[in-house]
Amino acid sequence: MGATGEQIGPARSRERFLVGDPVADGVRSAILNSWRRCQSLGLSPDRTDLPYRDDFDPDSRLVHAAQPVLDRLASRFAGSQMNVSLADGNGTVLQRRFGEPTLARTLPPIQTVPGFVFAERFAGTNGIGLALAERHLVQVYGAEHFAERSQSNACSAIPIRDRLSGHIVGVLCFGYPHGYEHPQLPALVRRAAESIERRLMEERSERERALLRAYLDAGHAARDGAGPGEGPTIGLEELGDSGLDLGDQMVLKEKATELMSGARRAAVEVLLPHGRGVTLLSSPLTSVSGVEGVVVEAVFSGVPPPAHHSSPTAGRAARPSAPAPGPPAPGGVRGLVLVGEPEVGKYAVAARRRLELLAEASTRIGTTLDVTRTARELAEMAVPRLADYVTVDVPEAVLRGEESADPRSELHRTVVHGITEDCPFYPAGRRVELRSGTPHMRCLDSGQAVLEADLREAVGWIDQEPEHARRILDRNVHSLISVPLLARGVLLGIASFYRSQDPAPFGEDDSWLAQELAARAALCIDNARRYTREHTLALALQESLLPRGVPEQGAVEVAHRYLPAESGVGGDWFDVIPLSGTRVALLVGDVVGHGLHAAATMGRLRTAARNFAELELAPDELLTHLDNLLVRLDREEGGAEDCGSTGIVGATCLYAVYDPTSRVCTMARAGHPPPALVHPGGRVTFPELPAGPPLGLGGLPFETAEIELPEGSTLVLYTDGLVEGRERDIDVALDQLSHTLAEPDRSPEDTCQAVIDAMAPEHPEDDIALLVARTRTVPAERIATWDVSADPSLVAGVRAAATRRLADWGLEELAFAAELMLSELVTNAVRYGTEPIQVRLVHDTSLICEVSDGSSTAPHLRRAASTEEGGRGLFLVAQLARAWGTRYTPHGKVIWAECALDAA
C-alpha cells in the first residue's frame, strides 16, 4: 500500500533516490541518511522482511512502567485511527494500543501483533527504527518510509531512556493517518515518554531516589513562596525547538559537572557556541537519609514556556519533576541539567557518556559487510562526541578482501569525516604515505594507540609535510589520537581522531574510548574483509564452473543469463550439451544453499551431468545417476551422524533432450520448476511433467515425458530464483513470466533480456539461471533412411544408395569415407546384431552415419594383433570419423559416426 501523491511525503524525491538520481533539497537529512543506510543494507521498498521474536518479555520493567501510560493514551484516542506502539531498545514491539479496536482486525499482523522487530536494518526507514538510529524525537510522513507498505501512514516516535544511565531502553511510537498531524502532537509524545521514564525512575536505587526526593521537596517549598518573577521549570530537551540543540546541551552538561563537583551554591554564565548566554545554578541538597548531593539548573532568559507544561528531564542523571531553589529569573524558563552526588558527579556522567557511546557503537558500527561503509560508521560515531575530525586509512588489499603484506606501504585514505564539510585533511581515495617518526607510523609499528596532546609539538608529523601540517594547525586542530585497526592479529589500517573545537586536549580516557571504538570497528572490518574474500572466491569459482560459451550445435539457437545472489554465491547452473544424431541436451539445476560449498557441489554435479550425457543416458536414468552421486557425496562429506554435520542438503534439476529430426523433446525433472514453452504464435504453456523428487533423497524413481515441439518454438528453462521469493507468490510470478514471454518472433537473446528486466528482483536473494532455446528442425530432404535385412550381400547396395544420396546433397568428397564407415557398421550389424536393422544418413552441420539394430551388445574398439584377420573395422571408423559412439534405445542400440563436412 504505497503512497505516491505529493501530499503524503516526498514520493518523487524517493523515486529519484531509488533510481540513483540527485535528491531534492526538500528531503530532510535524517530521512535521506536513513534511505542511504537502507540501500547499503540491501533493502528494497517492496522487500523489507521483519523478523519475529517470541522470546521478548511481555511483563518486563519497561512494559510494567508503560502500561498505565498506554492505557491513558488508548482512552484519549478512543474512536480514532490513532495507534500507539511500545518497543524495546532493539526495536521489538512489546505492546500496541488502538484508538479504534476494530483496526486490529483489519491490519496485517506486523502492524498489530507484538514481537515484530522494526529496527532500521530490517524494516527500513520507519518511526521506531529512525528514533533508535537518531536517538531523539523523529517524525516520518508517507513516502519518507522506505517500505512500500508503510507509505499511507505518518508517525511520531521518541526514545525512552533510563534517566540515570542515559541508555535508550525503548521507543514510544504514535501512528496515524497523515491528516491527523497537529503541532501539539510532538509535545504529547514527549510527555508520554517522560511519564514512562519517570515510572522507570521509581524503580531505581533508593540512594538516587533519596536525592531526587530531596530535590522535589526543595522544589515544592520554593514554589510555595515563589514570586511572580520565577519562570516555570521544564526539561532541557524540550527547549530544542527554541534553539537549544544537542551540542548546546552537551556544553551545559559539561559545565554542570564542574559545578556539581564543587558541592556548593553557585551561579555561572555559560556562553553557548551560537552566542547565546545561559545561567547555570548549582544548589547543594541533602536527602532525609543524609545523602549529600547537588542539583544544577539552567536559566534561559526570554524563552517562552511550552504550550503544555511537562515535567522536567535531566540529561544523563536523574530528571525529576519540580524546580529546585535558586535565584529568580524574570521572564525566563528553568531547565534541569543534573542532580547527583558531588564526588562522583563528573566521573559518573563522563562514564555514562562513554558507555552510551560504546553501546550505540555496538549497533551502529558494522551494519553492513562492506569495508568502506564500516570505516565510515566508525567516523560517524566518533564525530562530534569524541573527536571533531576522523580519518580512516586502510590498505588496498583489505578493500579487496585480502590481507596486506605490508600495510604501512599501501595505505589508502578510505574515509574523511568531520564537523565541517571542508575538512583540512587529504580527501578519500588518495594513497597515504607515512614516514617513520610520525605518530601514525609509530602507531602502526607498535600496534598501540598513540596520543599527541599537542600537535604543535609533534615534530615528526610536522616534518613529514610542513605545509599540509600548517594548514591543519591553522584550523585549530590541536590534538590527535592514532589507533591501529587490529582484529584477530591482522593489521587492517589506522584510525586517526583529531580535536579542534574543545580547547582541552585528548586525555587517557579519550584514548581508551578511541581504542574501544576502533577495536569494535576493526572486528567488523575484518568480518567484512573475510566476507568480501569469500564472496569473491565463491564468485570466481562459480564463474569458472559455469559454461563460458555455448558449444557449436545446430539443434537450437540458445541465449542465457546468470545473476548471482546479492548476499552470497549459490549453486545454480545451466548447460548446453551436444549429443549424437544432431540432438542437444538442455540442463538447469540448483544446489540448495549458498557459498563455496554450494558452488563446489554445483561444479561436481555439472561435470557429472556432462559425463552421464556423453553416455547417451535417457533423462530419467541421468537423474537417477545424479541422485546416487549426491547421496554418495552427502555420505562422504557429512560423515557420521553423530558428528553433527549436515552434509549436502540437496539439489533440483531439469534435463531435456531435443531431437531436431523428429521435433521430439524428452524431459525429466527432479523437484525443479517446469519449463515454459513459447509456441510460434506467441502462446505460452507450461508442459505438465512428472515432478520427481529432489536430488539427494535416494531410491526414488524419476519419470520422463515426450513432447513434440512445433517448428520454431522456444523452450525456456529457469531456476526458482526467477519466480520464487519470500514476498512473491509463485502463481503470480508464473503469470508474469507467461505475459513476458508471450511475444512471437523474438530472438532468444531478446527474450532473455526481457525476462530479466521484468522478473529479476533488484536485490536477488537467490541465484537466477535462465536458458532460452529456440528450436530448429532438420528438413526431411536432408535425412535418408534404409531398412536392411540380415544378409551380407545387401551391404553393397546400401553403399551404392548412400553414394547416390551424397551426390544429391553435393557431398561427393565424403563418399569414400562414408562408404568405408557404412560398410563396416552395416557388416557388424548383420553379423553380430539382430533385426530390425536400419541405416540413416543425416546432412546437418556435419554428416552423420547411423546404423541401428535390435541388439543391446555394443562393439568395442581394440588393437588387433598382427596375426588376426579381423578386429580392425572400428579402428578404421575411428580414424575416418570426427567422433563415433553408441547410444542405447528402448529397442536396441545405434552406432553412429560423425564426419566433418570439410573432412575431404
Side-chain angles (χ1 to χ4, degrees), residues 47-105:
R47 302 190 69 174
T48 49
D49 296 326
L50 306 189
Y52 177 80
R53 297 185 57 183
D54 58 1
D55 59 345
F56 67 93
D57 185 3
D59 195 28
S60 64
R61 190 168 64 89
L62 175 61
V63 173
H64 181 74
Q67 195 87 23
V69 180
L70 298 178
D71 291 340
R72 287 198 301 270
L73 291 173
S75 177
R76 176 168 184 167
F77 297 128
S80 72
Q81 296 186 42
M82 293 283 291
N83 67 85
V84 183
S85 301
L86 176 72
D88 65 16
N90 297 318
T92 303
V93 174
L94 306 176
Q95 290 275 302
R96 289 188 181 274
R97 297 288 190 278
F98 296 90
E100 176 54 58
T102 58
L103 284 176
R105 297 194 295 269

Side-chain angles (χ1 to χ4, degrees), residues 130-168:
L130 193 59
L132 289 172
E134 297 294 326
R135 305 182 68 80
H136 58 71
L137 175 66
V138 299
Q139 293 175 289
V140 186
Y141 305 104
E144 289 182 342
H145 288 89
F146 198 76
E148 299 281 0
R149 60 170 172 265
S150 304
Q151 294 181 18
S152 61
N153 302 320
C155 61
S156 297
I158 188 171
I160 300 172
R161 284 181 166 85
D162 182 329
R163 290 181 173 180
L164 292 181
S165 68
H167 293 169
I168 293 177

Side-chain angles (χ1 to χ4, degrees), residues 285 652 728 758 852:
L285 75 163
T652 66
R728 304 174 71 184
S852 63

Side-chain angles (χ1 to χ4, degrees), residues 794-812:
L794 300 178
V795 175
V798 172
R799 291 200 304 267
T803 301
R804 289 192 297 272
R805 182 54 61 94
L806 292 176
D808 294 340
W809 290 341
L811 301 178
E812 294 90 345

Side-chain angles (χ1 to χ4, degrees), residues 397-752:
V398 173
L399 296 175
R400 298 192 300 267
E402 305 167 2
E403 290 188 15
S404 174
D406 186 8
R408 299 162 184 80
S409 64
E410 58 169 17
L411 286 176
H412 179 85
R413 178 58 52 84
T414 305
V415 171
V416 178
H417 184 63
I419 56 176
T420 61
E421 293 293 334
D422 55 336
C423 294
F425 303 93
Y426 288 129
R430 175 168 175 161
R431 189 184 181 93
V432 178
E433 297 182 1
L434 301 174
R435 295 181 184 175
S436 61
T438 62
H440 307 81
M441 185 58 76
R442 297 203 312 269
C443 169
L444 291 173
D445 288 338
S446 65
Q448 301 292 327
V450 173
L451 170 62
E452 287 287 353
D454 190 349
L455 274 176
R456 290 169 295 184
E457 299 179 0
V459 180
W461 174 73
I462 295 177
D463 290 345
Q464 175 168 293
E465 292 190 60
E467 289 299 323
H468 181 60
R470 293 298 174 191
R471 287 196 298 270
I472 295 176
L473 292 174
D474 289 343
R475 295 287 292 272
N476 295 322
V477 178
H478 60 80
S479 193
L480 161 70
I481 301 174
S482 291
V483 184
L485 298 174
L486 284 167
R488 303 180 178 97
V490 178
L491 182 59
L492 302 169
I494 183 173
S496 301
F497 304 82
Y498 298 87
R499 178 171 285 179
S500 64
Q501 294 293 318
D502 190 343
F506 283 125
E508 292 301 325
D509 287 344
D510 298 313
S511 178
W512 171 84
L513 181 57
Q515 292 176 63
E516 285 291 323
L517 289 174
R520 295 177 186 228
L523 188 60
C524 295
I525 289 174
D526 192 48
N527 290 338
R529 179 189 66 84
R530 289 166 176 254
Y531 170 79
T532 301
R533 179 185 61 187
E534 180 178 345
H535 184 75
T536 302
L537 289 175
L539 189 60
L541 173 62
Q542 186 184 48
E543 290 176 351
S544 69
L545 295 175
L546 289 171
R548 295 186 177 272
V550 178
E552 180 182 354
Q553 46 80 38
V556 291
E557 179 186 356
V558 177
H560 55 84
R561 292 288 188 278
Y562 188 90
L563 296 181
E566 188 174 75
S567 59
V569 175
D572 291 19
W573 87 95
F574 64 91
D575 213 340
V576 178
I577 308 171
L579 301 177
S580 65
T582 73
R583 297 171 308 133
V584 65
L586 305 174
L587 175 68
V588 290
D590 181 5
V591 176
V592 175
H594 291 84
L596 284 172
H597 187 264
T601 303
M602 175 270 288
R604 292 178 172 183
L605 286 179
R606 177 174 177 254
T607 301
R610 292 189 69 90
N611 292 334
F612 293 146
E614 291 290 335
L615 297 177
E616 303 282 358
L617 298 179
D620 57 338
E621 295 180 16
L622 183 139
L623 292 182
T624 299
H625 283 283
L626 289 181
D627 182 45
N628 293 335
L629 171 65
L630 204 55
V631 171
R632 288 196 300 273
L633 291 177
D634 196 11
R635 291 173 182 168
E636 293 172 2
E637 299 188 5
E641 294 183 1
D642 58 356
C643 292
S645 176
T646 57
I648 301 170
V649 176
T652 66
C653 183
L654 171 63
Y655 185 73
V657 176
Y658 173 68
D659 187 346
T661 64
S662 62
R663 293 188 286 106
V664 172
C665 184
T666 306
M667 292 180 278
R669 63 186 179 118
H672 201 84
L677 176 61
V678 184
H679 295 257
R683 184 171 63 91
V684 179
T685 60
F686 294 90
E688 294 185 4
L689 305 180
L695 300 177
L697 297 182
L700 298 176
F702 300 94
E703 299 181 57
T704 61
E706 289 189 353
I707 302 174
E708 184 173 336
L709 303 182
E711 184 175 353
S713 58
T714 299
L715 201 60
V716 180
L717 288 71
Y718 52 89
T719 55
D720 57 3
L722 185 70
V723 295
E724 293 183 7
R726 285 180 290 180
E727 294 186 357
R728 304 174 71 184
D729 183 271
I730 188 170
D731 292 331
V732 175
L734 289 176
D735 288 342
Q736 184 181 2
L737 176 61
S738 178
H739 178 75
T740 304
L741 294 174
E743 183 173 330
D745 302 326
R746 186 162 57 187
S747 69
E749 187 66 31
D750 292 340
T751 300
C752 268

